Amino acid sequence: MTSTFQHITVLLEEAVEALAPLEGGRYVDGTFGRGGHSRALLGKLGPGGQLLGFDKDPQAIATGKTLAAEDGRFVIVQRSFAEMAEEFSARGLQGSVNGILLDLGVSSPQLDDPERGFSFLNDGPLDMRMNPEQGVSAAQWIATAAEDEIARVFKDYGEERFAKRMARAIVQRRAEAPFERTADLAAVITEANPAWEKGKNPATRAFQGLRIFINNELGDLERGLEAALEGLAVGGRLVVISFHSLEDRIVKQFMRKQVKGEADNLPRNLPIQVKPFDPRMKLIGKPVYASEAELKANPRSRSAVMRIAEKLR
């Protein structure tokens, strides 16, 4: 199963450079997608280099298997990057990985293909699962979720101001007929939004919140960051590209916590000497954003921010 929808890799050269690849190093692409970062990284590795890719999406896995058949240094597994620790243990990689890349969020082929159910612009089945073979679809969840739970998802994950109004409208309408198509849900959400933002579709935030919830994206990110830290070798780098504030906040707080070290967890009334400052990571440079040239070529890169940290112990 392959996809004809194209994906333009964001911060391609910058991300590979941030990993500081060693010719014989071991690397992980935690979000393979259509393999843009993986192919560029393989180009930097020597014959002894290794690259392990993760993805939940069956179409991404099909692309990954093609690449694996072409290049024996690459292996793809159909798992969330949140499960890296288990995979590292099974492969004897724990504590020996030289670099891990996480390019978060949804890919262009997922957004652009109406059949995947992510888009509020193009009508399709209301699914939204990155792996359509697992879990509950957006349509199934919307059909039974309580009104206050729908509002919470829109507010907490989509940062939608009018979450309660939208949830109320959804519950009222589903009493007449279930939601099965993205255009149907988008129309009801749009009608319930009293203040449209200039340049932003009225359903954007609600759809974002629903997608993040259905795929447990923030929970996976928190687990994945912890797994990445344990999987990295000393001197190994963690490179994370985020596309909205909720993701970036988790990444930033995680890296800052590791930079501050164990003393960060002490009660404030204790002298700092009780437990010495002992950081596990250091930040590499400042956050990286798309260049003007990339913004012109790929408008979807405008919200991307890349953060880099290196493991110290």
Side-chain angles (χ1 to χ4, degrees), residues 8-20:
I8 302 175
T9 305
V10 174
L11 295 171
L12 176 59
E13 295 180 2
E14 294 89 341
V16 173
E17 180 181 350
L19 288 167

Side-chain angles (χ1 to χ4, degrees), residues 248-288:
D248 187 49
R249 188 178 304 129
I250 290 173
V251 175
K252 181 168 58 176
Q253 289 176 350
F254 174 82
M255 289 184 174
R256 284 181 175 176
K257 179 181 177 182
Q258 304 310 321
V259 167
K260 289 181 179 179
E262 293 179 345
D264 184 45
N265 298 322
L266 289 174
R268 292 184 179 182
N269 61 338
L270 291 179
I272 198 67
Q273 290 80 7
V274 172
K275 202 171 187 180
F277 179 73
D278 196 9
R280 296 199 67 188
M281 305 188 88
K282 68 176 180 179
L283 298 180
I284 302 297
K286 296 181 179 180
V288 178

Side-chain angles (χ1 to χ4, degrees), residues 147-201:
E147 180 179 322
D148 60 349
E149 178 66 1
I150 296 173
R152 184 190 69 82
V153 166
F154 289 174
K155 182 177 185 295
D156 290 354
Y157 301 131
E159 301 179 297
E160 173 55 64
R161 287 189 297 158
F162 303 106
K164 290 184 178 180
R165 293 175 62 121
M166 293 174 178
R168 189 179 310 118
I170 287 170
V171 170
Q172 290 175 349
R173 216 313 299 278
R174 80 181 181 193
E176 304 170 8
F179 288 95
E180 297 178 347
R181 310 286 295 183
T182 57
D184 187 16
L185 179 62
V188 171
I189 290 172
T190 296
E191 180 67 25
N193 190 330
W196 296 12
E197 299 175 56
K198 185 176 181 180
K200 186 184 290 287
N201 187 288

Side-chain angles (χ1 to χ4, degrees), residues 6-193:
Q6 299 300 309
H7 177 68
I8 302 175
T9 305
V10 174
L11 295 171
L12 176 59
E13 295 180 2
E14 294 89 341
V16 173
E17 180 181 350
L19 288 167
L22 306 171
E23 284 198 1
R26 294 172 165 179
Y27 293 88
V28 170
D29 185 347
T31 47
F32 177 77
R34 293 304 180 268
H37 285 121
S38 284
R39 289 187 178 87
L41 183 54
L42 286 168
K44 299 289 186 180
L45 301 182
Q50 299 176 35
L51 178 59
L52 175 63
F54 289 79
D55 211 295
K56 295 189 286 187
D57 190 318
Q59 294 180 1
I61 295 299
T63 302
K65 287 181 177 179
T66 299
L67 178 57
E70 297 170 353
D71 194 325
R73 299 171 299 170
F74 177 72
V75 175
I76 185 79
V77 293
Q78 188 171 10
R79 302 185 79 166
S80 167
F81 62 77
E83 301 173 291
M84 284 191 292
E86 294 87 340
E87 198 68 30
F88 291 164
S89 294
R91 295 176 178 273
L93 294 174
Q94 194 75 307
S96 67
V97 178
N98 300 107
I100 297 175
L101 172 65
L102 303 178
D103 181 5
L104 305 175
V106 64
S107 69
S108 293
Q110 290 169 330
L111 284 173
D112 294 338
D113 183 357
E115 294 303 307
R116 300 303 304 273
F118 290 97
S119 176
F120 45 78
L121 298 175
N122 301 303
D123 187 36
L126 184 58
D127 194 310
M128 291 194 183
R129 289 172 293 177
M130 291 183 181
N131 182 355
E133 299 168 3
Q134 291 184 349
V136 175
S137 71
Q140 291 170 322
W141 185 77
I142 284 288
T144 59
E147 180 179 322
D148 60 349
E149 178 66 1
I150 296 173
R152 184 190 69 82
V153 166
F154 289 174
K155 182 177 185 295
D156 290 354
Y157 301 131
E159 301 179 297
E160 173 55 64
R161 287 189 297 158
F162 303 106
K164 290 184 178 180
R165 293 175 62 121
M166 293 174 178
R168 189 179 310 118
I170 287 170
V171 170
Q172 290 175 349
R173 216 313 299 278
R174 80 181 181 193
E176 304 170 8
F179 288 95
E180 297 178 347
R181 310 286 295 183
T182 57
D184 187 16
L185 179 62
V188 171
I189 290 172
T190 296
E191 180 67 25
N193 190 330

